[in-house]
Amino acid sequence: MTTPSPTADTGAELLPIATPARTRAALRTLIRPDRGLALTGLGILVAATAVGLLVQPLLGRIVDIVADGRPAGDLTLPVVLLVAVAVVQGLTTTLGLTRIARLGETVLARLRERFVERALNLPADRLERAGAGDLTARVTGDVARVAEAVRSALPEMARSVLAILLTLGALALLDVRFLLAALLAVPVQLLTARWYVRRALTLYADQRVANGAQQQQLLETIGGAVTVRGHRLEEQHTERSAGRSRKAVDLTMRSVNLVLGFYGRLHIAEYIGLAAVLIAGFWLVRDGAVSIGTATAAALYFHSLFGPVNAALVLLDDAQSAAAGLARLVGVTDLAEQPEPRAGKAAPVSVPQQRTVSSEAAVTVHEVSHAYGSGRPVLHEVSLTLKAGEHVALVGTSGAGKSTLARIVAGVQQPTTGTVTAPASTGEASVVLVTQEVHVFTGSLAEDLRLARPDATDADLRTALSTVHALDWAEALPDGLATVVGESGHRLDPARAQQLALARLVLADPALAVLDEATAEAGSAGARVLERSAEAALAGRTALVVAHRLTQAVAADRVVVLEAGRVVESGPHDELRDADGPYAALWRAWSGSRATTAPHP
């Protein structure tokens, strides 16, 4: 279960945050596969802590020997035992902490994998409403905070809690009155913990939201730097960035003051407890109930509690911060973990969208509507059928809903209402979407291509590149297919990056290919080259092409015209061009523009 999505001062609808109960349940699920490792680690730490508790009685024994004036030789045995205790405790503590650390790293790796897997499956419109800053803050700051807690706080917390419980038991064995005196510090410590926890969770959650808003503003300002300068908006964007930074700093300072107050209250508890144990020891020794050595051991036991008690309470800071980060991560995993409706069964009324599969390579879109949030409808009851092997060009003015429909057909985005029947998968990808925003992953060109088909041979890679007319330049690279590309290697221009994406499409060999303005980044010079590459990549398969250039519509079997989210025309290019409708107007505007900008002979 997640809480409703909070809204940052950016106006974005942030991704949800899991409730404390849901976060605890998710944590148990993450730990469950390694229960054996957890129990073994805790068992070894119990043994290490129990051995360490022998130090105080041995020191008390030494005090009694000295106080009674016994020979120096009587000190040999307790001193040797102290050395043995130190060695055994050191070895067992190291082994136990190693196992707890391994448990933490394993759980952390599992959490990261699940988060990345679910984040990649989030609907595109949901990410757009949240903004990149919110997801970026979760995948960086929140993961880092949880990782820090797992690596340092978890082992220390386990050791501290065990030390507290066993030390209190040892105090009771010496004399129950020592335990009662020590417990006078507990009410102050509990009130301190309660005071802190009630304030910390909300404060740290607000801090995460503020950090996400700050990152979102920085991303928008830096990403749109050219536009900002062009419209002379530097001052406004600087002030927005400064304002969100000030809010983040203010929340950070509030957390610092909270921690300082936390420490001050803990020091008061320590004073009360130690004074009570010393007074109890004085009275018990005076009455002959215990020896000086026993009273010394009791005082040392309580003094040894300073470390673990303070550590456990101070680690509440890390625990609360990590809990806030974990809740934000679990909120994302829960958001993406939606059950898929089964093929052939009607979707429930509460989930109107439905995606089924077809045994034939055909697509049927039935009365699909979609809206980006309340009051932002993009598609209105669109119905569309693609026959097996048919190439359909989707055209329309900017904002007509072409890209939204393409993403819905590709399965990347769920419609608000309506159904989509897609091709059945035969082992390879059933649908592949190629957009104008192509990413070249860092690594060799061959590795980049094998993302689409890991078992592809070098011959397969060359065939795919040759299909999209990219083999010549690929083999001309410094190391051929072994050339490292991407940000850390050889940079590919937009046209070549798009050819690489089309080659991956060929390797994936889907039944349906969806191209969303996949040739738009080429510019006029490379447009024809990319169009030829796209035609070759789509040969023999069903295709839906969002046409950036109407030459793609000319080559298509059928043209579908979208206007304000509705299908207004559908038919072959020649028929629509001569019908003097919306497509004819688009064709005249496009062809007239090309005639105007064409170079003179």
Side-chain angles (χ1 to χ4, degrees):
M1 183 177 180
T2 57
T3 59
S5 303
T7 302
D9 58 5
T10 59
E13 183 186 344
L14 302 183
L15 296 168
I17 300 174
T19 61
R22 175 61 194 132
T23 302
R24 290 192 294 271
L27 187 58
R28 288 194 296 270
T29 301
L30 290 169
I31 295 175
R32 189 173 295 119
D34 297 291
R35 284 175 296 182
L37 182 60
L39 293 175
T40 302
L42 287 175
I44 295 174
L45 282 181
V46 169
T49 304
V51 170
L53 292 178
L54 296 175
V55 171
Q56 288 83 356
L58 289 172
L59 290 174
R61 178 65 177 168
I62 292 174
V63 170
D64 282 337
I65 290 173
V66 174
D68 295 341
R70 299 179 190 177
D74 290 353
L75 296 174
T76 302
L77 180 60
V79 169
V80 170
L81 290 176
L82 281 174
V83 173
V85 166
V87 172
V88 174
Q89 185 184 25
L91 292 175
T92 51
T93 299
T94 300
L95 181 59
L97 291 179
T98 299
R99 290 185 172 274
I100 294 297
R102 182 181 301 172
L103 169 69
E105 291 295 335
T106 302
V107 171
L108 179 61
R110 191 174 292 124
L111 172 64
R112 280 175 168 161
E113 291 169 1
R114 186 169 299 181
F115 178 83
V116 171
E117 177 188 354
R118 302 288 167 75
L120 290 174
N121 289 319
L122 285 176
D125 58 328
R126 188 64 186 87
L127 288 177
E128 289 172 2
R129 294 201 305 271
D134 186 32
L135 186 61
T136 301
R138 298 189 192 216
V139 81
T140 54
D142 291 325
V143 170
R145 184 69 67 176
V146 173
E148 181 182 351
V150 164
R151 290 167 182 156
S152 58
L154 176 63
E156 187 63 29
M157 177 68 84
R159 186 170 63 171
S160 297
V161 170
L162 290 173
I164 292 168
L165 295 176
L166 293 178
T167 301
L168 291 176
L171 276 171
L173 289 176
L174 292 179
D175 193 295
V176 72
R177 286 167 286 191
F178 285 127
L179 175 61
L180 294 176
L183 291 179
L184 291 177
V186 173
V188 179
Q189 291 167 334
L190 291 178
L191 288 173
T192 298
R194 184 170 178 267
W195 171 84
Y196 175 77
V197 169
R198 291 176 64 180
R199 289 161 175 79
L201 189 58
T202 302
L203 179 58
Y204 285 126
D206 291 343
Q207 198 172 357
R208 295 289 178 276
V209 172
N211 288 338
Q214 182 186 28
Q215 289 195 33
Q216 178 68 28
Q217 183 60 48
L218 290 174
L219 288 170
E220 290 177 354
T221 300
I222 295 172
V226 175
T227 303
V228 169
R229 288 195 298 269
H231 290 274
R232 300 291 189 270
L233 298 174
E234 295 94 339
E235 185 175 344
Q236 292 94 319
H237 275 257
T238 300
E239 180 56 34
R240 288 177 190 170
S241 298
R244 286 174 186 145
S245 296
R246 282 193 297 269
K247 183 173 182 179
V249 170
D250 177 64
L251 289 169
T252 300
M253 293 308 300
R254 284 174 56 190
S255 68
V256 170
N257 291 332
L258 182 66
V259 171
L260 291 176
F262 181 63
Y263 277 114
R265 287 167 171 79
L266 288 184
H267 292 158
I268 295 173
E270 290 174 359
Y271 174 80
I272 293 173
L274 184 57
V277 170
L278 290 174
I279 292 172
F282 171 78
W283 286 104
L284 290 173
V285 170
R286 193 187 68 170
D287 294 342
V290 298
S291 67
I292 296 176
T294 300
T296 301
L300 290 174
Y301 268 137
F302 186 80
H303 187 272
S304 70
L305 282 175
F306 285 8
V309 168
N310 288 349
L313 293 177
V314 168
L315 285 174
L316 285 174
D317 180 67
D318 291 333
Q320 293 300 313
S321 182
L326 182 60
R328 284 160 55 83
L329 297 177
V330 173
V332 173
T333 62
D334 284 354
L335 179 65
E337 197 173 22
Q338 300 295 335
E340 291 286 341
R342 295 184 179 181
K345 292 186 178 181
V349 175
S350 59
V351 187
Q353 66 272 20
Q354 182 181 8
R355 186 173 184 83
T356 58
V357 296
S358 169
S359 59
E360 299 179 358
V363 178
T364 301
V365 178
H366 180 65
E367 295 184 353
V368 161
S369 297
H370 189 71
Y372 292 105
S374 178
R376 295 178 57 195
V378 178
L379 299 176
H380 305 273
E381 298 184 346
V382 172
S383 294
L384 176 67
T385 300
L386 277 70
K387 299 177 182 177
E390 184 181 26
H391 290 186
V392 173
L394 200 59
V395 302
T397 58
S398 178
K402 304 185 298 298
S403 294
T404 299
L405 180 58
R407 290 200 297 263
I408 289 174
V409 171
V412 174
Q413 189 165 300
Q414 288 288 340
T416 304
T417 60
T419 60
V420 177
T421 301
S425 175
T426 57
E428 301 296 338
S430 60
V431 183
V432 168
L433 171 67
V434 180
T435 70
Q436 61 179 325
E437 298 174 357
V438 175
H439 183 74
V440 179
F441 294 88
T442 298
S444 70
L445 183 64
E447 291 172 340
D448 205 307
L449 287 166
R450 286 194 175 96
L451 290 171
R453 205 173 91 204
D455 61 346
T457 64
D458 286 349
D460 294 331
L461 303 185
R462 288 188 171 86
T463 299
L465 289 168
S466 178
T467 299
V468 298
H469 312 292
L471 184 60
D472 289 343
W473 65 256
E475 292 187 330
L477 293 175
D479 297 313
L481 296 184
T483 301
V484 175
V485 295
E487 292 188 4
S488 302
H490 186 90
R491 298 294 184 95
L492 300 181
D493 61 43
R496 289 183 174 181
Q498 197 64 259
Q499 284 182 306
L500 180 60
L502 291 171
R504 287 198 292 254
L505 185 151
V506 173
L507 286 168
D509 193 23
L512 169 66
V514 180
L515 271 57
D516 184 7
E517 298 189 349
T519 64
E521 294 294 323
S524 299
R528 185 53 191 158
V529 173
L530 268 188
E531 286 175 6
R532 288 177 55 234
S533 299
E535 289 172 8
L538 298 180
R541 68 182 93 253
T542 309
L544 178 65
V545 179
V546 177
H548 176 71
R549 293 177 174 84
L550 291 190
T551 50
Q552 296 170 290
V554 175
D557 299 317
R558 183 159 52 98
V559 178
V560 173
V561 183
L562 276 184
E563 193 173 276
R566 291 181 170 84
V567 175
V568 293
E569 277 189 311
S570 177
H573 162 75
D574 291 338
E575 179 182 311
L576 296 184
R577 183 194 57 192
D578 297 337
D580 199 25
Y583 180 76
L586 289 173
W587 177 259
R588 285 194 297 269
W590 182 79
S591 57
S593 173
R594 284 172 55 85
T596 302
T597 58
H600 294 288

